[in-house]
Amino acid sequence: MIYFIVNPAAGNGRGEAAANRAGKLLNEKGIDYKILFTKEPYHAAELTRKAIGEGAKTIVAVGGDGTLLEAAQGFMDGNENIAPHINFGIIPVGSGNDFIKSLHIPKDIDGAVEVILRGRSKKTDILKYNEGYCLNIGCIGIDSEIAYLASKTKNIWGKFSYIVSVLRNIFTYKCIRAKIKIDGMTLEQKFTLIAVCNGKYYGGGFKITPMSQVNDGYITLCYVDALMFLKILLIFPLVAFGMHKDLKIVHFKNCKELTLEFDREYKFNIDGNVIYTDGKVKFEVIKEALNIIC
């Protein structure tokens, strides 16, 4: 039995239509399935647990990156997957759909369903922070400010909401002061952004860490030194194509865990969900936590 966990609001209301299309394709092949709709934020994890309890063979998240993360969290208990025998599939219906780019999952519904029916899964890492999880990327700085504004305007600008937010924030952003503790090293300064990455892409296709692999057992940290707005304006087009990696102001580090400390409250973007943090955030990687169909 395949269970679809669907965010009906994803993609400006396209979630339900995507699930119905997937259901039609499965009906044509005589495959049993069940559709469960989320009713509120964080409901997807509860529905994953429900599907596990009912004997699901495959659980498919239908939505954007935030929905994928919420559904994936339903598998996790601390550092353990409670149902490692169940495959996790993805039908992308969000405005960004960034995580699938690192897994080469098709954007179109029919293509994504075909991948799910083939059933070939990859052991994929997940990041754990404090008491939460991150499937793709957690970031703080100008990128989290951009994500916050984009989430507030995506019903107006749709897939262009991120670009609109970039243009606005470039001229208003003030760099953050933070402390990074990693591999016995402490770095304290002002930053333009700090990105803690499992996948390569965020923000609707910006290739922030071209070298990231979702199954290598490492976090890829990217941080950018404090910049004036004119330099920020110049660097963002490079990030779109992963061409920023050789700049002296951009730094990368692979690690198993790291800690970020802040002197006041900041917005933190976790897979498109904006939270607020002040104090300390610790990240660690849980290697091969999920069986993702790709």
Side-chain angles (χ1 to χ4, degrees), residues 25-279:
L25 294 172
L26 266 60
N27 281 332
E28 292 172 355
K29 297 181 179 295
I31 298 173
D32 292 332
Y33 67 92
K34 189 172 184 179
I35 298 176
L36 305 176
F37 290 102
T38 62
K39 297 179 180 178
E40 57 190 356
Y42 309 110
H43 189 204
E46 181 183 330
L47 294 180
T48 295
R49 295 292 180 103
K50 174 181 172 66
I52 292 170
E54 293 183 3
K57 300 297 183 183
T58 299
I59 296 173
V60 179
V62 183
D65 288 326
T67 302
L68 307 187
L69 172 61
E70 290 179 20
Q73 287 180 119
F75 284 96
M76 302 305 298
D77 182 10
N79 286 17
E80 300 294 329
N81 184 336
I82 63 171
H85 58 288
I86 297 177
N87 284 340
F88 182 47
I90 299 168
I91 294 180
V93 195
S95 55
N97 300 316
D98 287 302
F99 187 60
I100 65 164
K101 297 179 180 72
S102 296
L103 294 165
H104 308 293
I105 294 172
K107 290 182 180 180
D108 66 287
I109 307 305
D110 290 20
V113 171
E114 183 179 340
V115 168
I116 290 164
L117 293 180
R118 285 204 301 265
R120 299 171 186 165
S121 64
K122 174 187 286 189
K123 292 282 188 180
T124 304
D125 304 336
I126 193 169
L127 308 185
K128 187 173 185 293
Y129 73 94
N130 293 359
E131 300 304 318
Y133 297 91
C134 174
L135 191 57
N136 188 38
I137 292 175
C139 58
I140 191 166
I142 191 171
D143 39 4
S144 60
E145 295 291 338
I146 289 169
Y148 174 76
L149 181 59
S151 70
K152 295 297 183 182
T153 60
K154 65 181 178 181
N155 290 334
I156 301 171
W157 297 105
K159 64 181 180 180
F160 300 107
S161 61
Y162 197 87
I163 299 300
V164 172
S165 184
V166 167
L167 295 174
R168 177 173 174 179
N169 274 282
I170 281 173
F171 295 101
T172 61
Y173 177 70
K174 294 182 179 179
C175 293
I176 65 168
R177 175 165 289 280
K179 183 185 296 184
I180 302 175
K181 293 183 177 179
I182 179 173
D183 294 345
M185 174 191 78
T186 298
L187 177 65
E188 184 173 8
Q189 64 179 61
K190 285 188 174 182
F191 299 92
T192 298
L193 67 84
I194 302 170
V196 182
C197 307
N198 188 31
K200 301 176 189 287
Y201 301 87
Y202 68 172
F206 282 77
K207 198 173 185 179
I208 186 66
T209 48
M211 69 291 294
S212 287
Q213 299 293 328
V214 296
N215 62 342
D216 62 357
Y218 286 97
I219 298 167
T220 302
L221 170 69
C222 173
Y223 64 90
V224 178
D225 297 336
L227 301 174
M228 299 296 289
F229 80 89
L230 285 177
K231 287 189 176 180
I232 296 174
L233 184 62
L234 292 173
I235 196 175
F236 261 92
L238 299 179
V239 177
F241 299 99
M243 296 171 63
H244 62 297
K245 60 185 179 65
D246 296 321
L247 299 177
K248 291 182 179 180
I249 55 172
V250 181
H251 311 272
F252 299 94
K253 180 76 174 178
N254 277 355
C255 59
K256 298 285 188 178
E257 63 179 51
L258 63 92
T259 301
L260 306 177
E261 296 182 3
F262 313 99
D263 58 354
R264 64 179 181 85
E265 185 176 79
Y266 290 107
K267 298 182 185 73
F268 211 116
N269 176 29
I270 304 290
D271 289 0
N273 298 319
V274 177
I275 64 174
Y276 291 85
T277 182
D278 57 356

